[in-house]
Amino acid sequence: MDIELKPVKTPEEIELLCRLAKEAWEQAYNELLGPEQVEYMVEKFLSPPAVREQMANENYMYYIIYGEKEPGGFIGFAPNYQGKNELFLSKLYLLPNMKGTGAARAAFRLAENEARSRRLPAIRLTVNKGNTHAMEVYGHWGFETVESVVTDIGGGYVMDDHIMVKRVGEA
């Protein structure tokens, strides 16, 4: 499959990203977290105003992942997020039709290249403790669990996550 990652820049691309996010999160998390928490989290973290804020003020970069010119996922990361000397891989989601196509490989390659180009020694991410498939995927790509955290995100909800880190070599 022909995979392409395109940076999100326009309001229309932000809208598309948020539609993909809603679909991907409902598929990935409705059973694990329940539809109410998923809806809350999508609105809080992946609504157009939230994405615009992240891009404008938190150093986030988003890319839509296309397979055969059809949007099927996205990746979002932030270099030096919260002042840390690393790349924070905040989001990587693929719709079911994109799994097994090389899209994940392309997304991880993009994140690693971004970290190397900025001379950041590591990529950090958080993953829900119940999302065993994602943990296996991240492990396959060289990420190791270094810590566990519970974060209050408001609305009576928490994120119960593992923090995983991958060291990246020089470019």
Side-chain angles (χ1 to χ4, degrees), residues 18-19 21-26 29 35-48 50-51 54:
C18 294
R19 286 193 306 273
K22 182 173 174 30
E23 184 177 348
W25 274 49
E26 286 172 353
Y29 295 113
E36 297 83 12
Q37 183 169 347
V38 169
E39 186 177 327
Y40 175 83
M41 291 178 72
V42 167
E43 184 60 31
K44 183 172 180 72
F45 299 117
L46 282 161
S47 63
V51 170
Q54 292 161 9

Side-chain angles (χ1 to χ4, degrees), residues 32-97:
L32 186 62
L33 302 175
E36 297 83 12
Q37 183 169 347
V38 169
E39 186 177 327
Y40 175 83
M41 291 178 72
V42 167
E43 184 60 31
K44 183 172 180 72
F45 299 117
L46 282 161
S47 63
V51 170
R52 284 191 297 271
E53 169 70 18
Q54 292 161 9
M55 291 173 71
N57 299 316
E58 298 178 33
N59 211 22
Y60 270 71
M61 293 179 270
Y62 282 100
Y63 290 77
I64 295 175
I65 303 169
Y66 292 84
E68 303 297 338
K69 304 205 183 306
E70 290 296 320
F74 65 97
I75 183 172
F77 49 79
N80 303 107
Y81 183 68
Q82 296 180 333
K84 294 183 178 165
N85 188 37
E86 61 192 11
L87 184 86
F88 177 52
L89 176 54
S90 176
K91 299 158 187 84
L92 173 53
Y93 291 94
L94 299 174
L95 297 179
N97 64 315

Side-chain angles (χ1 to χ4, degrees), residues 129 147-153 157-163:
K129 290 176 185 171
E147 189 179 353
S148 295
V149 294
V150 176
T151 307
D152 186 334
I153 57 170
Y157 300 113
V158 298
M159 293 191 306
D160 191 11
D161 295 331
H162 289 302
I163 296 174

Side-chain angles (χ1 to χ4, degrees), residues 124-141:
R124 178 176 54 97
L125 59 83
T126 58
V127 59
N128 184 285
K129 290 176 185 171
N131 193 346
T132 54
H133 174 72
M135 285 186 283
E136 289 169 4
V137 169
Y138 293 135
H140 172 78
W141 290 103

